[in-house]
Amino acid sequence: MISSPSSKTQSTEQKQFLTILSREEAMARFEEALGSWQVSTQRRSLADALGMVLAEDVAAPVDVPPFDRSNVDGFAVRAADLTTASELHPARLMLNQETIACGTVPQVAVVPGTATPIATGGPLPRGADAVVMIEHSQPAENGAVEMFRPASPGQFISSAGSDMARGEVVLRAGSIIGAREIGMLAACGTAHVTVACKLRVAVVSTGDELVQPGEPLRPAGIYDANGAIISAAVIENGGEASFLGAFADDEEKLEAAMRDALASHDVLIMSGGTSKGAGDISYRIIERLGSPGIIAHGVALKPGKPLCLAVCDGKPVIILPGFPTSAMFTFHDMIVPVLRRLARLPPRVDIQTSAQLPFRIASELGRTEYVMVSLVQGRDGLTAYASGKGSGAITAFTQADGFIRIDALADHLPAGENVQVTLFTPQVRVPDLVVIGSHCTGLDLVVSKIVQKGISVRSLAVGSLGGLAAARRGECDLAPIHLLDAQTGVYNRPFLAEGMELVPGWRRMQGIIFRSGDMRFEGRSAAEAMKAVLADPECMMVNRNQGAGTRILIDQLLGHARPDGYWNQPRSHTAVAAAVEQRRADWGVTIAPMARAAGLGFIPLTEEHYDFVVVAESREREPVHAFLEALSSSSMQDALEQAGFSRAG
Ligand code: AMP
Ligand code: MG
């Protein structure tokens, strides 16, 4: 927390820090402060009602069908006349002097021994209790007809009101009006319905750093993801979203924007600026916008702790956390139920499935925690892989199948635990090919190629050892690994278990990266460069995380030395390249293609073998064939070489 200059603000902040509410308590107080307000209603013609929410039950004003109706082309008869009819001894009936078409009102009764020709949809005449299909009859001389089969009473007749009975509720309030609902309303003669007005939601992003998509990104700028996400999520939940833009952290301008937004909308949803930092001002403005003001600021959620809920003169004002994933979770879990109630929509139905955890998940005690997961089919059901990315990761959302909610009172979930996964989509999407293991940019090239052929691929980066474990459990088809066996000096093969086969992938050169022109590195060998690094206290490194294959190389290079930057230990090749490119570090170790893509200098160290473990059960699967074929194709080998990898073997 950055302390504020005025003591008045300091005391407000203190008050808010003392009152972190549980998810349930925050929801209950918010709902209570909102009271029973809901959007108003309006009458609309059917033509204008598509996509709206019905605000009142609709009862059928008439019976549908309005009369007993024939379902086939044939003859209206009395079933009792046909009890002995057969192919050999047809029943002979005299034809009445009328033919009933659709829209014809029958005039002549069907008396015993007679039949009246009737069309599909024609009203049944008095006396008739069944219809015989024309195919089961034959014209006879002297105005008669012969019937070959007996008929049961009611046969081929829809009786009056059998579809909808007059007074019956045919659509309930809360239904969303689609083509089928419109059809039903039209069928019972309803031309106008009472619908809920759409909830008008103003969406505002805040932050000095925000840049709108489509504009060039300035240094230290961040694209405004929340504006688009929240607007879309509001619309998905039946609301009308007006995105008013991203506002800098300027108290006066922001207050004016918030007042305008509230004047012309039912709800204001903002994002960012809700932590207790110096630039975070929106929550202070809320206190001036109307009573009762802030209801909850700080909810025991992870991610999502800084969520701020307020009600200003009856209207909900919500500040979602700035990180897009945190914003999404809090929006879906806590805001959607409220918006749907205000909009007169029924509660959202979440679809859940159960799955097993492959790894232990640690969790913070005292906060309800959401963890995004990707599902894969194992031998004994679904396995839920937690997304390895942090709370700022937006890609996790598009790659995950759903999330699990860890209770505030649990400090971890053990490996093997059965969990309930709330799905983001109506069904579990089972991918054609599952690849679990170490990630490499070369892998993306092969995956893209088979995705183009219509094969769906799930690729989870859990490291080489995680990949091997998944292969052992039968959760993946392929596990890409790069593991050096220290004893034999052989890559990958010594790690195979029974039922696994190794298919060569490619080689990737690991090396030291630096900015071109840096004379501590330019033109030198690795050993010379290390000497220069250790002699220069100003020289800053970027390391890798413990457990990464690359880290082993770095440790070999450094021996016992711990130069400045050693404790900066990102988890990916990309982060290392970015650190050197952006001058936060002067050197690091990564693979050659990464250095090339970032335009950095490169001193080669050693060539790693990146290969694929193929699980025996998957060997003959079509998508596995497609992958291996794509991998060995000469065009792919060329593309990999082009990207800086070299051929295996
Ligand atoms: P704040 O709560 O404003 O301190 O923001 C927390 C983090 O979320 C910062 O890294 C912000 O850059 C980021 N952030 C805030 N608003 C947005 C947004 N609209 N889109 C993407 N990231 C955002
Ligand atoms: Mg901010």
Side-chain angles (χ1 to χ4, degrees):
M1 173 182 155
I2 299 168
S3 59
S4 317
S6 92
S7 62
K8 179 166 169 276
T9 357
Q10 245 163 21
S11 73
T12 357
E13 287 189 0
Q14 203 123 48
K15 180 184 90 193
Q16 285 153 354
F17 267 103
L18 287 175
T19 51
I20 291 212
L21 302 179
S22 71
R23 173 180 172 275
E24 291 68 28
E25 178 76 26
M27 284 292 273
R29 290 197 195 179
F30 192 39
E31 287 282 12
E32 195 193 329
L34 284 169
S36 58
W37 186 88
Q38 287 190 308
V39 287
S40 54
T41 62
Q42 58 182 169
R43 291 286 283 173
R44 283 205 179 192
S45 72
L46 277 198
D48 288 332
L50 184 66
M52 302 298 287
V53 183
L54 201 59
E56 290 172 356
D57 292 352
V58 175
V62 296
D63 286 332
V64 177
F67 44 80
D68 290 2
R69 182 172 70 182
S70 174
N71 287 337
V72 294
D73 288 336
F75 299 92
V77 298
R78 288 174 176 250
D81 284 342
L82 305 182
T83 41
T84 61
S86 69
E87 297 276 344
L88 274 182
H89 302 287
R92 195 181 166 87
L93 301 175
M94 293 309 295
L95 283 174
N96 290 314
Q97 288 309 303
E98 75 171 338
T99 295
I100 304 168
C102 283
T104 305
V105 179
Q107 306 293 336
V108 182
V110 173
V111 298
T114 67
T116 299
I118 189 166
T120 305
L124 263 279
R126 182 181 168 90
D129 58 17
V131 176
V132 174
M133 282 170 88
I134 195 155
E135 292 89 329
H136 302 147
S137 71
Q138 176 175 289
E141 67 284 5
N142 300 329
V145 62
E146 287 180 345
M147 308 290 183
F148 300 122
R149 296 184 181 188
S152 50
Q155 170 179 298
F156 298 129
I157 296 173
S158 290
S159 53
S162 59
D163 194 347
M164 301 179 227
R166 188 188 332 170
E168 183 191 344
V169 172
V170 289
L171 272 184
R172 297 267 168 209
S175 309
I176 295 174
I177 302 174
R180 290 175 303 162
E181 287 71 20
I182 286 190
M184 196 155 142
L185 293 165
C188 67
T190 304
H192 291 88
V193 283
T194 304
V195 298
C197 298
K198 292 228 171 189
L199 191 67
R200 296 166 307 162
V201 181
V203 178
V204 165
S205 299
T206 68
D208 293 336
E209 74 279 25
L210 298 183
V211 177
Q212 287 308 307
E215 315 254 305
L217 202 58
R218 56 175 181 270
I222 290 282
Y223 278 124
D224 175 11
N226 292 347
I229 295 172
I230 298 164
S231 303
V234 164
I235 295 168
E236 278 181 349
N237 283 282
E240 201 173 75
S242 339
F243 175 53
L244 304 183
F247 289 79
D249 296 312
D250 169 323
E251 192 149 352
E252 214 169 295
K253 286 196 185 127
L254 191 57
E255 178 164 350
M258 287 166 74
R259 285 187 186 279
D260 279 356
L262 271 179
S264 50
H265 295 86
D266 304 314
V267 181
L268 169 58
I269 302 184
M270 309 178 54
S271 66
T274 171
S275 320
K276 312 283 160 60
D280 299 328
I281 46 180
S282 340
Y283 70 93
R284 279 186 248 144
I285 299 172
I286 287 179
E287 296 289 18
R288 302 193 286 270
L289 293 184
S291 62
I294 291 176
I295 303 296
H297 189 185
V299 182
L301 300 173
K302 188 181 177 181
K305 184 171 165 187
L307 176 67
C308 179
L309 305 173
V311 176
C312 300
D313 293 341
K315 292 186 177 178
V317 179
I318 295 144
I319 317 180
L320 300 173
F323 277 127
T325 25
S326 311
M328 282 287 264
F329 270 125
T330 44
F331 181 80
H332 281 287
D333 194 50
M334 304 205 34
I335 310 307
V336 165
V338 176
L339 296 187
R340 293 184 74 98
R341 184 181 65 72
L342 299 181
R344 298 172 184 259
L345 277 161
R348 183 185 57 200
V349 181
D350 283 332
I351 300 161
Q352 296 199 319
T353 186
S354 59
Q356 255 192 9
L357 293 181
F359 309 123
R360 175 186 199 275
I361 302 181
S363 174
E364 191 179 315
L365 205 57
R367 282 163 82 185
T368 302
E369 185 162 348
Y370 310 97
V371 178
M372 273 185 269
V373 295
S374 296
L375 293 171
V376 296
Q377 189 71 49
R379 286 195 190 90
D380 326 306
L382 291 171
T383 304
Y385 276 84
S387 153
K389 300 198 173 182
S391 77
I394 185 86
T395 46
F397 247 117
T398 45
Q399 282 157 18
D401 293 297
F403 65 91
I404 57 177
R405 195 191 281 149
I406 305 179
D407 193 86
L409 297 177
D411 66 355
H412 79 284
L413 292 180
E417 179 86 343
N418 249 311
V419 291
Q420 282 300 307
V421 178
T422 303
L423 297 178
F424 289 140
T425 51
Q427 278 111 28
V428 179
R429 301 168 293 181
V430 179
D432 300 323
L433 183 75
V434 180
V435 183
I436 303 180
S438 165
H439 180 253
C440 177
T441 47
L443 179 60
D444 295 334
L445 294 176
V446 190
V447 167
S448 299
K449 174 114 180 225
I450 64 166
V451 167
Q452 279 165 18
K453 291 187 179 155
I455 297 172
S456 63
V457 180
R458 161 135 316 145
S459 169
L460 300 174
V462 297
S464 297
L465 289 171
L468 275 175
R472 232 175 276 124
R473 291 190 299 262
E475 288 162 6
C476 61
D477 302 299
L478 299 168
I481 60 170
H482 56 105
L483 290 166
L484 179 64
D485 181 44
Q487 274 179 351
T488 56
V490 174
Y491 265 99
N492 301 331
R493 196 164 294 282
F495 295 88
L496 297 189
E498 215 181 284
M500 294 181 185
E501 189 189 322
L502 197 69
V503 172
W506 48 85
R507 307 279 163 86
R508 34 186 227 181
M509 186 55 83
Q510 290 268 17
I512 298 172
I513 52 165
F514 58 93
R515 287 180 302 280
S516 302
D518 186 333
M519 293 323 287
R520 292 169 294 196
F521 303 94
E522 198 75 73
R524 296 184 188 243
S525 70
E528 289 164 355
M530 273 308 110
K531 224 165 144 187
V533 161
L534 297 178
D536 179 357
E538 295 290 303
C539 190
M540 179 81 81
M541 75 171 292
V542 52
N543 202 346
R544 275 298 303 277
N545 56 302
Q546 193 70 254
T550 309
R551 172 64 176 272
I552 298 170
L553 293 177
I554 298 172
D555 286 341
Q556 279 171 0
L557 278 177
L558 290 176
H560 292 295
R562 295 286 179 268
D564 205 6
Y566 183 90
W567 299 106
N568 180 13
Q569 304 185 348
R571 303 187 68 86
S572 73
H573 291 295
T574 317
V576 171
V580 176
E581 204 183 343
Q582 294 163 4
R583 300 181 166 267
R584 284 179 283 114
D586 301 312
W587 71 278
V589 175
T590 187
I591 53 177
M594 208 67 228
R596 179 186 297 196
L600 294 167
F602 188 76
I603 304 172
L605 286 172
T606 182
E607 199 171 51
E608 270 185 345
H609 296 207
Y610 185 90
D611 298 324
F612 293 90
V613 172
V614 183
V615 178
E617 297 157 37
S618 303
R619 192 64 183 84
E620 295 314 321
R621 293 193 60 232
E622 201 44 54
V624 174
H625 279 289
F627 183 93
L628 297 179
E629 221 167 86
L631 171 63
S632 60
S633 70
S634 57
S635 63
M636 182 55 64
Q637 291 293 321
D638 289 347
L640 286 164
E641 223 157 336
Q642 195 84 44
F645 299 100
S646 54
R647 289 172 197 247

